[in-house]
Amino acid sequence: MASNRNGVQRGSAKFDRPLKPRPRPSSPSPGSALRRPNAAARNGDAVPGRVRVAVRLRPQNAEEMIADADFADCVELQPELKRLKLRRNNWDSDTYEFDEVLTEFASQKRVYEVVAKPVVESVLDGYNGTVMAYGQTGTGKTFTLGRLGEVDASDRGIMVRSMEDIFADLSPDTDSVTVSYLQLYMETLQDLLNPANDNIPIVEDPRSGDVSMPGATLVEITDQHSFLELLRIGEANRVAANTKLNTESSRSHAILTVHIKRSVLENEDIVSSQNGDASHLTKPSKPLVRKSKLVVVDLAGSERVHKSGSEGHMLEEAKSINLSLSSLGKCINALAENNAHVPFRDSKLTRMLRDSFGGTARTSLIVTVGPSPRHRGETSSTILFGQRAMKVENMLKIKEEFDYKSLSRKLEIQLDKLIAENERQHKAFEDEVEKVNLEAQCRIAEVERNFADALEKERLKCQMEYMELVKELEQKLVLNQERNDCNSFVADNGEGPASSSTDEVAEVKMLLETERNRRKAAEEEVGHLKSQLGKHMPSEAGGDVEIIKLRNILEDEANQKKRLEEEIIILRSQLLQLNFEADQMRRCLENGSSGSTFSALDSSTTQVRHSQFKDVANGQKSSVATLFEQVGLQKILSLLESDDANVRIHAVKVVANLAAEEANQKRIVEAGGLTSLLMLLRRYEDETVRRVAAGAIANLAMNEANQELIMAEGGITLLSMTASDAEDPQTLRMVAGAIANLCGNDRILMTLRSQGGIKALLGIVRCGHPDVLSQVARGIANFAKCESRASNQGIKSGRSFLIEDGALPWIVQNANNEAAPIRRHIELALCHLAQHEVNSKDLIGGGALWELVRISQDCSREDIRNLARRTLSSVSTFKSELRRLRIDY
């Protein structure tokens, strides 16, 4: 027999040995029969839910080549016709048809593509799927399904190749994969990933009939390497034995279950405004969650006791295997014959495979047979099992749920974005209005000042000219009066000629005419000044027009603000409606409502949303852009330094939410987000800002690459200062969580302690809130674990820093805390401290020895309980003290 589990020996001479010649009749002999299960069996696409069956022939192994050298193989394959001939004797045979016929030369890749790949594609589309191998022991079932291909990559089995296709199609940001690996041994369901879990119950949902194993270990995996590690662990724990038919025969049925959760988004509609223009608001789609599972079943091989040589306990194993396979065969027969009763409850195996046969899963069965004529009876039984399985039809069903939480989260982000954008636009609008008002006032003041100066100058000029003219006229009047007096005196005395009076009168008339002209010129100058005054008055009216224009602009901006507020109200109402729908859906699920209730709720939801968004644009639809595409990370980070407290708070909340996703953390750190968050802790005393900033730093601190950057920029010092100043439990919880994440890094252990990280954690315990104390306990457990590892590696020596900083009394006091998370972390920290002899005297003096004894006996977690027992039995100081106190542990 071969050394591998499926009994196949590569390099066998069977591949080169031709079949022995034998007479072939031109027509079927009377004893020959062509077995056709039904018309649908010949065409796999005629009934989409029918179980597809493929048969695979194992090559001869070394033992069969010697023992059967004088006999022809009992199996003849016709892969081009998808037929198999099973010889009765040298002249008679039975012919059977299958969906696929795979020769001994078929590669593992071809087997996967024809048997399992259609099932895997259906699982990725949201359906349940099952791939199962059935056959005699030693015919290659485990080789076909569970081969890892570590030596030769082409030997990879269906399990490995299925996960390769699954990871290639999934998105790590929105999809998730969890795996469980169980074995059914002696009618007991055991966990291959956790051998201590050796009696897992099977629970059936009375409404849907779904079968679940609530005690099974579910491991979330993200890559192919971690999946291969799980397979190695499971195969190492699986029960196998050496029989005459197989050197490493599986003694249990192995069931690998892969749970897939995928997020699917529908298209979105653009919401139009009342004037017909497309608005920047979009009607969010309903995100769907598709949950499906792939079940790969490696059945234990059927065997006959007189051939396998099973005795004692192996005989009991063989009885259990054959009994469960017999129950499976009964169920297949009942389903194939459309019986009203199918005995699924006769065996745990049939209960687990209830969805695979006659249920809602797409199922492929591969039956494996050997060529040896010595096992013709087992080969015939296997072939007939496959023939009956081809008659079973399943009702395929896809499972979809609405992801209300994701939609609500997206709407909240969009609402916060619109509020921040509205605040920014409002601030910019107010600044622009103030700037325009200031410029208008400056221009009006300048025009008024220039006009007043010009008017004053003209008034002074006219007044001076008028005074000069009056003065000149007075002087001439006085001179004329003197001349008249002189002429009168001369006339009275009869002296002087009469012509002198005539000349003087003419001169006076000339002066009067000159004065009249000057008066007219002054009036013209006054008219000119008045005209200039009229010109200045329209300019002042122009200033009023400009003010009116500014007022119109202000009114337009106010109207735009009002429209934005209306849009925000629409979004809020939509968010409230979605929350209401989620509550109704939760009540329906809790009350066990039927599918009709869900349909009615969905219908009412559609009507409400139709009434809210009745103006839907017929233009091009677009998907919801991500936060980075909508705003930009740099713009978000710049808002952290805003003078507006509300804007700053919203911005730090957005950064904290983004930092919660591992995919965004690297971009945030590279853009300087970590430095900005630390600056918020340093500069602002607002409790909300500090709480949210500490939470964002805690999220970033979950990444080991960011932890050293936080320490390099003085993050532990800022967190310690925040812990000493804050009183709010939520803020202290965020700070304690950030420090606890930093405590799990070996490389920064010394720096963290020297900068006061441990003392900061111990100072936070003053709050007394259970959530805060849980984070403190987690940090101390992380620090103790890293410190213990450093001591084991010889990097650190001497007493624990936790003991030196005074943490031991608090650890002992809370080792039996009522809160399970606090107690679990403290118990783990205490066990790590006790592993080193140098801490033993302090632990005994502080009363920790009694807690270690209690943990070794009463701890709910077995791994911590075993760790405490090993510690008590390995540390000599503890052993001496326990002997002195006469305490058994």
Side-chain angles (χ1 to χ4, degrees):
M1 297 295 288
S3 60
N4 47 16
R5 294 193 55 173
N6 53 20
V8 179
Q9 183 179 18
R10 297 200 310 273
S12 172
K14 171 65 178 176
F15 292 98
D16 300 326
R17 185 175 67 85
L19 294 173
K20 293 184 178 181
R22 61 182 181 276
R24 176 176 295 178
S26 58
S27 60
S29 62
S32 176
L34 176 61
R35 306 298 177 89
R36 295 183 176 89
N38 50 36
R42 295 192 300 273
N43 184 5
D45 296 333
V47 182
R50 182 180 62 79
V51 176
R52 300 183 75 255
V53 180
V55 61
R56 186 181 192 185
L57 177 64
R58 172 180 60 77
Q60 278 187 327
N61 54 35
E63 180 182 351
E64 291 172 346
M65 292 177 64
I66 297 173
D68 301 336
D70 297 332
F71 302 94
D73 293 345
C74 68
V75 177
E76 179 184 354
L77 301 183
Q78 296 177 337
E80 66 279 359
L81 300 177
K82 297 182 180 181
R83 291 180 180 176
L84 177 147
K85 286 187 176 182
L86 181 63
R87 287 196 182 91
R88 297 179 182 176
N89 44 47
N90 289 336
W91 58 88
D92 195 6
S93 63
D94 292 329
T95 303
Y96 303 92
E97 286 190 356
F98 290 92
D99 293 305
E100 293 291 341
V101 174
L102 303 169
T103 67
E104 64 269 32
F105 306 105
S107 64
Q108 291 280 77
K109 180 179 180 181
R110 169 163 172 75
V111 172
Y112 169 73
E113 289 179 348
V114 301
V115 175
K117 190 168 185 177
V119 178
V120 174
E121 292 174 349
S122 297
V123 171
L124 292 173
D125 290 336
Y127 299 93
N128 291 339
T130 302
V131 179
M132 188 171 70
Y134 180 92
Q136 182 190 6
T137 181
T139 54
K141 298 184 297 299
T142 303
F143 178 83
T144 302
L145 295 182
R147 191 75 169 185
L148 299 182
E150 295 174 327
V151 178
D152 188 354
S154 63
D155 285 344
R156 303 192 313 279
I158 287 176
M159 291 182 181
V160 178
R161 295 178 185 269
S162 299
M163 290 307 299
E164 290 175 354
D165 284 355
I166 289 173
F167 281 122
D169 192 73
L170 295 183
S171 172
D173 296 332
T174 58
D175 305 333
S176 64
V177 180
T178 55
V179 173
S180 67
Y181 200 7
L182 309 176
Q183 71 173 355
L184 183 62
Y185 175 69
M186 300 284 288
E187 282 301 304
T188 302
L189 195 58
Q190 302 175 356
D191 197 336
L192 291 176
L193 303 181
N194 183 13
N197 193 4
D198 57 359
N199 191 10
I200 301 174
I202 300 176
V203 179
E204 296 183 14
D205 191 337
R207 292 180 299 170
S208 62
D210 293 339
V211 178
S212 61
M213 283 68 73
T217 300
L218 284 175
V219 180
E220 184 172 358
I221 56 175
T222 57
D223 53 29
Q224 188 71 6
H225 177 71
S226 59
F227 175 69
L228 292 177
E229 289 296 326
L230 292 180
L231 286 185
R232 293 190 187 96
I233 295 172
E235 288 300 318
N237 294 325
R238 190 176 177 187
V239 180
N242 184 5
T243 66
K244 291 181 179 180
L245 297 178
N246 193 350
T247 59
E248 198 171 344
S249 174
S250 300
R251 313 305 292 172
S252 65
H253 308 299
I255 302 98
L256 175 72
T257 306
V258 182
H259 298 272
I260 300 175
K261 182 179 180 182
R262 306 196 69 180
S263 297
V264 182
L265 287 178
E266 296 178 348
N267 293 331
E268 300 168 350
D269 298 331
I270 300 177
V271 179
S272 62
S273 58
Q274 294 181 356
N275 56 9
D277 298 332
S279 173
H280 61 279
L281 293 175
T282 58
K283 178 181 179 180
S285 62
K286 295 180 181 179
L288 301 177
V289 176
R290 289 181 178 174
K291 296 180 180 179
S292 57
K293 66 179 179 180
L294 172 64
V295 181
V296 183
V297 184
D298 181 10
L299 296 175
S302 60
E303 61 183 52
R304 295 187 178 180
V305 176
H306 68 278
K307 290 185 178 181
S308 63
S310 300
E311 297 178 351
H313 184 68
M314 290 177 57
L315 179 59
E316 297 299 323
E317 292 175 344
K319 290 180 180 179
S320 177
I321 293 171
N322 291 336
L323 181 61
S324 60
L325 294 178
S326 175
S327 299
L328 179 61
K330 291 179 182 179
C331 292
I332 296 295
N333 290 339
L335 290 171
E337 296 173 2
N338 293 323
N339 291 346
H341 172 68
V342 181
F344 282 116
R345 303 188 66 84
D346 287 357
S347 169
K348 288 187 177 181
L349 177 64
T350 54
R351 290 178 65 190
M352 295 176 63
L353 298 179
R354 186 169 188 171
D355 190 50
S356 303
F357 293 97
T360 61
R362 183 182 295 276
T363 302
S364 284
L365 172 66
I366 179 168
V367 293
T368 57
V369 297
S372 175
R374 292 179 297 158
H375 306 303
R376 185 190 179 283
E378 289 84 347
T379 302
S380 175
S381 176
T382 301
I383 292 172
L384 292 177
F385 178 87
Q387 289 285 295
R388 289 191 295 269
M390 291 178 66
K391 299 179 182 179
V392 178
E393 297 179 5
N394 295 342
M395 298 296 293
L396 304 185
K397 181 180 178 182
I398 193 169
K399 185 176 182 181
E400 290 182 345
E401 297 177 359
F402 288 114
D403 191 359
Y404 286 100
K405 291 183 179 180
S406 175
L407 181 57
S408 176
R409 184 166 57 253
K410 289 182 180 180
L411 286 175
E412 287 178 355
I413 294 174
Q414 187 176 2
L415 179 61
D416 290 338
K417 173 184 174 298
L418 287 175
I419 291 174
E421 183 67 23
N422 182 34
E423 291 177 351
R424 286 193 296 270
Q425 291 182 1
H426 181 68
K427 186 69 168 64
F429 170 72
E430 290 181 348
D431 294 342
E432 185 68 21
V433 170
E434 185 177 357
K435 180 180 178 181
V436 171
N437 285 334
L438 184 60
E439 291 180 355
Q441 291 176 2
C442 292
R443 291 179 60 185
I444 291 173
E446 183 179 0
V447 169
E448 290 179 348
R449 186 168 55 255
N450 293 337
F451 175 74
D453 293 343
L455 187 61
E456 183 66 19
K457 289 179 181 179
E458 291 297 331
R459 187 182 67 79
L460 292 176
K461 180 180 178 181
C462 292
Q463 186 176 3
M464 293 298 296
E465 291 178 354
Y466 178 74
M467 293 298 293
E468 290 176 358
L469 289 175
V470 170
K471 185 177 180 181
E472 185 178 354
L473 288 175
E474 288 178 349
Q475 291 176 355
K476 289 183 179 181
L477 181 60
V478 171
L479 181 60
N480 289 333
Q481 287 179 353
E482 291 177 352
R483 288 180 180 179
N484 288 333
D485 292 341
C486 181
N487 290 333
S488 298
F489 179 77
V490 173
D492 291 340
N493 293 325
E495 298 177 357
S499 61
S500 61
S501 297
T502 307
D503 294 337
E504 291 177 357
V505 171
E507 185 178 0
V508 170
K509 289 182 178 180
M510 187 179 295
L511 290 174
L512 289 175
E513 186 66 26
T514 301
E515 291 296 332
R516 190 180 296 113
N517 292 335
R518 288 182 177 179
R519 179 67 177 270
K520 187 176 181 180
E523 291 177 353
E524 292 177 354
E525 185 68 22
V526 170
H528 178 65
L529 289 176
K530 288 182 179 181
S531 64
Q532 287 185 351
L533 180 61
K535 292 179 181 180
H536 284 292
M537 290 301 291
S539 67
E540 183 177 358
D544 295 338
V545 172
E546 187 172 0
I547 292 174
I548 293 173
K549 290 181 179 180
L550 290 175
R551 289 177 178 174
N552 292 333
I553 294 174
L554 290 175
E555 292 178 355
D556 293 339
E557 295 292 339
N559 292 332
Q560 185 178 2
K561 176 185 176 182
K562 185 177 181 180
R563 286 196 298 272
L564 288 174
E565 291 176 349
E566 291 175 353
E567 293 171 356
I568 291 174
I569 291 173
I570 291 174
L571 280 177
R572 284 177 176 169
S573 65
Q574 185 179 1
L575 179 60
L576 291 175
Q577 179 65 24
L578 286 175
N579 290 332
F580 174 75
E581 294 172 7
D583 291 338
Q584 279 195 337
M585 179 58 65
R586 192 179 301 108
R587 295 193 198 98
C588 290
L589 293 176
E590 292 175 353
N591 297 330
S593 60
S594 62
S596 60
T597 305
F598 182 85
S599 302
L601 177 60
D602 188 72
S603 175
S604 62
T605 303
T606 305
Q607 294 176 359
V608 171
R609 294 193 176 178
H610 180 72
S611 63
Q612 288 180 349
F613 302 101
K614 55 186 176 181
D615 296 330
V616 179
N618 294 324
Q620 185 179 3
K621 298 181 180 179
S622 62
S623 61
V624 175
T626 60
L627 184 61
F628 291 162
E629 295 172 350
Q630 292 177 346
V631 180
L633 183 58
Q634 291 293 345
K635 190 170 182 181
I636 296 174
L637 295 177
S638 65
L639 295 178
L640 296 177
E641 301 177 359
S642 173
D643 295 333
D644 192 334
N646 292 328
V647 174
R648 192 164 58 248
I649 291 172
H650 283 295
V652 73
K653 285 182 179 179
V654 172
V655 174
N657 290 331
L658 294 175
E661 299 181 6
E662 187 178 359
N664 302 330
Q665 293 180 0
K666 183 177 180 181
R667 298 178 62 182
I668 292 174
V669 173
E670 290 177 351
L674 176 59
T675 304
S676 300
L677 292 171
L678 293 174
M679 286 297 295
L680 290 178
L681 290 181
R682 181 181 292 112
R683 291 171 50 188
Y684 295 99
E685 297 181 358
D686 183 80
E687 194 70 21
T688 303
V689 172
R690 293 199 299 177
R691 179 176 68 253
V692 182
I697 294 173
N699 290 335
L700 294 177
M702 290 188 294
N703 191 323
E704 187 175 355
N706 299 334
Q707 293 173 355
E708 296 182 13
L709 294 176
I710 294 174
M711 297 298 297
E713 296 188 16
I716 190 64
T717 302
L718 293 174
L719 291 171
S720 301
M721 294 171 58
T722 305
S724 62
D725 296 337
E727 295 296 333
D728 179 50
Q730 295 300 326
T731 303
L732 292 175
R733 183 172 68 87
M734 296 299 180
V735 174
I739 298 177
N741 291 336
L742 295 175
C743 287
N745 192 328
D746 297 337
R747 292 191 293 270
I748 63 175
L749 205 63
M750 302 294 185
T751 307
L752 186 142
R753 189 254 180 171
S754 63
Q755 294 184 4
I758 300 302
K759 292 184 178 180
L761 276 179
L762 295 176
I764 292 175
V765 302
R766 70 182 186 276
C767 174
H769 195 280
D771 293 341
V772 178
L773 296 183
S774 177
Q775 295 298 325
V776 173
R778 183 171 68 88
I780 290 176
N782 289 343
F783 191 92
K785 182 178 180 180
C786 293
E787 191 179 50
S788 177
R789 188 161 49 241
S791 299
N792 292 333
Q793 296 174 356
I795 300 174
K796 179 188 177 299
S797 60
R799 289 196 312 161
S800 169
F801 291 147
L802 291 173
I803 296 177
E804 292 181 356
D805 287 347
L808 183 58
W810 187 84
I811 293 175
V812 174
Q813 181 183 356
N814 289 272
N816 197 15
N817 195 292
E818 294 180 356
I822 301 175
R823 183 175 65 255
R824 183 176 67 253
H825 290 307
I826 293 301
E827 289 174 347
L828 186 60
L830 198 56
C831 291
H832 284 302
L833 289 175
Q835 284 182 328
H836 303 285
E837 187 80 29
V838 70
N839 300 327
S840 58
K841 292 184 179 180
D842 294 303
L843 293 174
I844 293 173
L849 180 58
W850 300 100
E851 293 300 331
L852 284 172
V853 173
R854 181 192 61 79
I855 293 171
S856 68
Q857 296 175 352
D858 301 332
C859 182
S860 59
R861 285 185 50 175
E862 185 177 0
D863 54 343
I864 299 178
R865 189 166 63 247
N866 293 335
L867 179 60
R869 291 175 181 172
R870 290 197 302 270
T871 302
L872 290 174
S873 61
S874 61
V875 178
S876 59
T877 306
F878 291 153
K879 292 166 65 177
S880 300
E881 184 68 12
L882 291 174
R883 283 196 300 268
R884 186 182 69 82
L885 297 174
R886 298 180 181 179
I887 297 176
D888 296 328
Y889 58 95

